[in-house]
Amino acid sequence: MPRARALDTITRYYDAFNAGDTAGMEALLGDPFAHHVNEGKIRHGVEAFRAFNKHMSRCYREQLTDMVIMANDAGTRGAAEFIVNGVYLETDDGLPEARGQSYVLPAGAFFSLDEGKITRVVTYYNLADWIAQVS
């Protein structure tokens, strides 16, 4: 049962992502929470995650497809692999100029869970590939 609970939590997290429901994503987070972003500093707490989501929603519009979600039997660890289908909406600091470019990028994430809540998300993608696609 713990594995099924973890799979359900991660699935609901990504369903909320694809629906643009950042509040729904935040509702699945535990305390403490750590968000390890690709090429960035670790953000601690739901408020930092909320600020990150606000920034991302302004600069990018993304849908995730080809989702594969996994979890260990204890329900304490999970992973997801997916394709990011995005549009670069507004120039992000230190990155190429946004002109509405589309991109398709393989990505993955790792999760820690406690009592069905997400306590850690680590996201990975190839930044050089993304830059080449939008440049």
Side-chain angles (χ1 to χ4, degrees), residues 17-76:
F17 179 96
N18 277 338
D21 179 10
T22 57
M25 294 169 67
E26 294 159 10
L28 297 168
L29 305 181
D31 184 31
F33 173 72
H35 183 216
H36 300 244
V37 295
N38 197 68
E39 304 289 331
K41 294 181 180 179
I42 299 170
R43 291 174 169 83
H44 295 277
V46 175
E47 287 303 319
F49 186 71
R50 185 173 290 125
F52 173 80
N53 284 334
K54 185 177 179 182
H55 170 82
M56 292 296 289
S57 294
R58 188 180 75 246
C59 294
Y60 310 91
R61 183 175 58 244
E62 297 178 331
Q63 284 288 300
L64 308 180
T65 59
D66 303 306
M67 183 76 57
V68 176
I69 298 173
M70 300 155 267
N72 68 347
D73 289 340
T76 57

Side-chain angles (χ1 to χ4, degrees), residues 72-89:
N72 68 347
D73 289 340
T76 57
R77 294 288 177 95
E81 183 177 5
F82 45 87
I83 302 296
V84 180
N85 303 274
V87 178
Y88 189 27
L89 303 172

